[in-house]
Amino acid sequence: MNDQIKKNLGIYASKLVKDNMIVGLGTGSTANHFIQSLSKRISEGLKINAIASSKDSLNLAKKNNINIIDPKEVDIIDLYVDGADEVDKKKQMIKGHGAALLNEKILAKFSKEVIIIVDETKLVDKIGKKTLPVELTTFCHVLTKKLLEKKGFIGEFRKEKEKLIITENNNYILDIQLSNLVDNIYDLQMQLLSIPGVIETGLFYDLPSKIIIGKTDNTFDVIE
């Protein structure tokens, strides 16, 4: 995504934040632009509290003077803002290539409103062209992978410098290449969660969401 589009999206989303909100902060480069734009609004007098979905977002928020609160202190999140890897017009999406999918899904599910900010290349007719991140327990992870393969879900563990990436919840990420584009996202989610050792998937749906699509001409489309 063009960095200017990410910046524009961050500014757009930050303008949707109102005084005294509890704001959920997503993870990734687009979410980072939102955090930086939110910081500017705070410097201009906006008063909010925030909950971060990852250590990276937490550190960036603190660096930008955004007040972070413990999730145990809240019952509901007013607004959650994040990016996505793929999204369709039904507001179904694949997320998790930043390896924070479990925390992101928790915050999204406990939010009154979810704002997803993406550029137009992320909008697809059907999701499933990109790999689907699936979070697995470290215990018997190889056996879990084999069980998934028997069900037709072929993937590779995510690595960095030849070492398996461990999420902040001490799990592994298996990136699955879907054999078909997704027709029924709910059925796919249930199939994956039925496998022992699968903690969560990067399939996001049924959220009170608004999709903001940034375009190269500096305009926006909105899916509500």
Side-chain angles (χ1 to χ4, degrees):
M1 189 194 303
N2 181 294
D3 200 59
Q4 185 59 50
I5 296 177
K6 293 182 183 181
K7 184 176 180 180
N8 293 345
L9 286 164
I11 293 169
Y12 187 111
S14 72
K15 291 179 180 178
L16 302 176
V17 179
K18 299 176 182 177
D19 263 330
N20 302 313
M21 274 187 167
I22 296 174
V23 181
L25 307 176
T27 294
S29 57
T30 310
N32 288 348
H33 279 281
F34 166 69
I35 292 170
Q36 291 163 345
S37 296
L38 185 60
S39 173
K40 186 174 186 300
R41 287 207 59 208
I42 289 170
S43 71
E44 295 168 350
L46 180 71
K47 293 179 174 60
I48 61 101
N49 292 308
I51 298 174
S53 59
S54 66
K55 290 179 182 177
D56 286 344
S57 294
L58 174 71
N59 292 336
L60 182 61
K62 286 183 174 180
K63 182 180 177 182
N64 282 274
N65 300 313
I66 296 174
N67 188 52
I68 297 293
I69 58 175
D70 192 311
K72 295 194 293 289
E73 298 176 15
V74 303
D75 296 317
I76 195 78
I77 297 163
D78 294 299
L79 179 67
Y80 178 69
V81 179
D82 205 351
D85 303 304
E86 281 187 342
V87 61
D88 66 19
K89 291 182 179 179
K90 296 178 182 178
K91 298 188 287 188
Q92 301 175 142
M93 62 199 84
I94 288 178
K95 290 176 45 55
H97 284 86
L101 65 94
L102 179 55
N103 291 356
E104 290 172 346
K105 187 170 282 191
I106 291 170
L107 294 187
K109 284 291 186 180
F110 284 96
S111 295
K112 292 180 184 176
E113 185 177 10
V114 176
I115 301 294
I116 299 297
I117 48 178
V118 295
D119 79 296
E120 54 195 334
T121 66
K122 303 291 181 68
L123 182 64
V124 296
D125 292 327
K126 287 186 179 181
I127 60 173
K129 290 183 179 179
K130 292 192 175 181
T131 56
L132 172 64
V134 177
E135 192 155 343
L136 308 184
T137 60
T138 55
F139 179 72
C140 290
H141 62 283
V142 174
L143 291 179
T144 302
K145 182 174 183 285
K146 288 179 178 178
L147 281 173
L148 285 163
E149 288 171 349
K150 287 181 180 179
K151 297 284 188 178
F153 299 113
I154 310 301
E156 297 294 333
F157 285 108
R158 194 176 301 179
K159 296 180 180 180
E160 185 174 2
K161 296 179 180 178
E162 300 305 313
K163 291 185 178 181
L164 294 183
I165 288 177
I166 299 177
T167 71
E168 291 181 16
N169 295 298
N170 296 312
N171 299 315
Y172 292 141
I173 297 288
L174 184 72
D175 290 312
I176 291 174
Q177 186 64 58
L178 298 174
S179 56
N180 297 296
L181 298 180
V182 179
D183 285 315
N184 191 318
I185 194 170
Y186 178 80
D187 282 354
L188 178 57
Q189 173 80 350
M190 292 303 103
Q191 286 180 55
L192 291 166
L193 291 182
S194 71
I195 305 296
V198 173
I199 299 295
E200 191 50 271
T201 83
L203 296 169
F204 283 60
Y205 57 97
D206 287 346
L207 296 172
S209 57
K210 182 183 293 183
I211 313 298
I212 313 298
I213 303 161
K215 303 169 74 174
T216 53
D217 62 1
N218 295 324
T219 62
F220 304 92
D221 286 336
V222 180
I223 301 175
E224 300 197 52

